[in-house]
Amino acid sequence: MLLKDYKNNFTQELSLFYDEQEIESFFFIVMEAFHEMKRVDLALNPNFELDGMQLLQWETVLSQLKEHKPIQYILGETEFYGLPFFVNENTLIPRPETEELVDWIIKENSKDKELKILDIGTGSGCIAISLAKDLPNAKVYAMDVSEKALEIAQKNAKRNKVTVIFLHQSILETEDLLATFDIIVSNPPYVRNLEKEEIKKNVLDYEPHLALFVEDTDALLFYRKISELAVKNLSENGQLFFEINQYLGKEMTDLLGNLKFQNIELRKDIYGNHRMLKGNFQSK
Ligand code: GLN
């Protein structure tokens, strides 16, 4: 079958489940993954034919998309901050908002500086690895409670040819980080049960709840613990960066303010939601 004809079939089959734009974007993502062809290459090669084996692969993707499985999990990979990352159901799919957080950290810090960085709750390793790539003189550590997530993160560090020191540890059970860091960053679980209705089916059914949800009654559990550790384990003028729940900007600013962090800055993401926060640590 010609790929251009299969595209019509693919679009029609998915039209009950997704809008046209989304289907088109799935099609091109799969085309690139399977055939290393970009959007224009389809127009340039109208006679590109799928053999029986390739057709079967496309059909497997199609049936999983019908079950709302995220395309990133179907293919087992995605892109973050211009780098390739393996993902599976033990890691969140990296979000564009998190790219903005990484970008903020990179812009605030010089490439020449010998920084010591810790990423808490690293998941796929996307934050730690992209920082290691763009801040080549930094020594990067990354912690996660999930051994299965760390397996993926380790593969990602290798794939992107960077060194990250991984720690299998629960931050909630950590009393001291036993080292001094210049930057501590985290995108911990922050979605409250009361916000579950806002979460799409593909996220709710497939992404790891361990990485997403917190109790309604204690939504800042991870932030409190991490900020308190940061007071003990950040260097003078060290920086604390968080991705945060968009509805808790004020609470987060207060939390850092009460712990005497300086120059606290709350930023919005591309969607206009309060999503990132930074504070500097000064002992006096
Ligand atoms: N931003 C993610 C979402 O919208 C949540 C990430 C997190 O809880 N750290 O699903």
Side-chain angles (χ1 to χ4, degrees), residues 92 95 97-98 187-191 199 203 207 211-213 223 243 275:
L92 279 188
R95 309 279 203 269
E97 303 90 291
T98 313
N187 173 19
Y190 60 67
V191 182
I199 305 276
V203 175
E207 296 205 64
L212 284 173
F213 293 109
Y223 295 94
E243 180 173 322
R275 186 65 70 200

Side-chain angles (χ1 to χ4, degrees), residues 6 16 20 24 52 60 63 67 70 74 77 106 146 158 172 180 188 196 244 247 269-270 272 277 281:
Y6 185 72
L16 275 180
E20 211 170 312
E24 174 134 287
T60 311
S63 65
E67 283 163 13
I74 298 176
E77 61 182 4
I106 289 169
S146 160
K158 214 166 169 190
L172 297 179
T180 302
K196 256 191 183 151
I244 63 162
Y247 305 116
D269 62 21
I270 25 162
L277 186 81
F281 174 70

Side-chain angles (χ1 to χ4, degrees), residues 24-43:
E24 174 134 287
S25 111
F26 291 147
F27 184 84
F28 289 118
I29 291 172
V30 181
M31 193 172 80
E32 169 130 36
F34 284 177
H35 312 299
E36 287 174 27
M37 283 168 76
K38 300 235 183 272
R39 203 173 263 254
V40 294
D41 296 324
L42 183 62

Side-chain angles (χ1 to χ4, degrees), residues 218-243:
D218 200 6
L220 300 187
L221 173 70
F222 289 93
Y223 295 94
R224 212 180 318 110
K225 180 76 193 189
I226 294 168
S227 307
E228 283 165 8
L229 286 168
V231 169
K232 285 198 234 168
N233 295 104
L234 270 177
S235 58
E236 189 67 23
N237 252 318
Q239 306 151 37
L240 178 61
F241 284 92
F242 281 128
E243 180 173 322

Side-chain angles (χ1 to χ4, degrees), residues 103-247:
D103 196 60
W104 188 7
I105 300 173
I106 289 169
K107 296 219 164 104
E108 290 271 318
N109 288 282
S110 137
K111 288 193 193 306
D112 312 321
K113 255 204 195 144
E114 289 187 12
L115 300 161
K116 209 158 163 183
I117 302 177
L118 173 65
D119 172 25
I120 298 169
T122 198
S124 65
C126 64
I127 296 177
I129 291 165
S130 38
L131 290 177
K133 196 82 184 177
D134 275 80
L135 298 171
N137 287 310
K139 197 161 186 189
V140 183
Y141 296 74
M143 183 188 288
D144 208 287
V145 68
S146 160
E147 206 161 2
K148 288 185 174 157
L150 285 175
E151 275 172 31
I152 293 287
Q154 245 145 2
K155 279 200 203 169
N156 283 326
K158 214 166 169 190
R159 181 169 186 180
N160 287 295
K161 302 190 175 59
V162 293
T163 304
V164 172
I165 299 142
F166 290 104
L167 313 162
H168 180 214
Q169 198 170 323
S170 156
I171 194 65
L172 297 179
E173 283 159 33
T174 302
E175 286 314 317
D176 195 300
L177 293 167
L178 304 172
T180 302
F181 296 94
D182 303 299
I183 300 175
I184 293 178
V185 54
S186 184
N187 173 19
Y190 60 67
V191 182
R192 292 172 290 183
N193 285 310
L194 62 92
E195 287 148 8
K196 256 191 183 151
E197 283 152 41
E198 294 177 31
I199 305 276
K200 286 202 189 145
K201 190 170 160 54
N202 56 349
V203 175
L204 205 56
D205 289 356
Y206 289 95
E207 296 205 64
H209 287 198
L210 177 69
L212 284 173
F213 293 109
V214 282
E215 293 300 325
D216 292 351
T217 49
D218 200 6
L220 300 187
L221 173 70
F222 289 93
Y223 295 94
R224 212 180 318 110
K225 180 76 193 189
I226 294 168
S227 307
E228 283 165 8
L229 286 168
V231 169
K232 285 198 234 168
N233 295 104
L234 270 177
S235 58
E236 189 67 23
N237 252 318
Q239 306 151 37
L240 178 61
F241 284 92
F242 281 128
E243 180 173 322
I244 63 162
N245 182 315
Q246 65 190 83
Y247 305 116

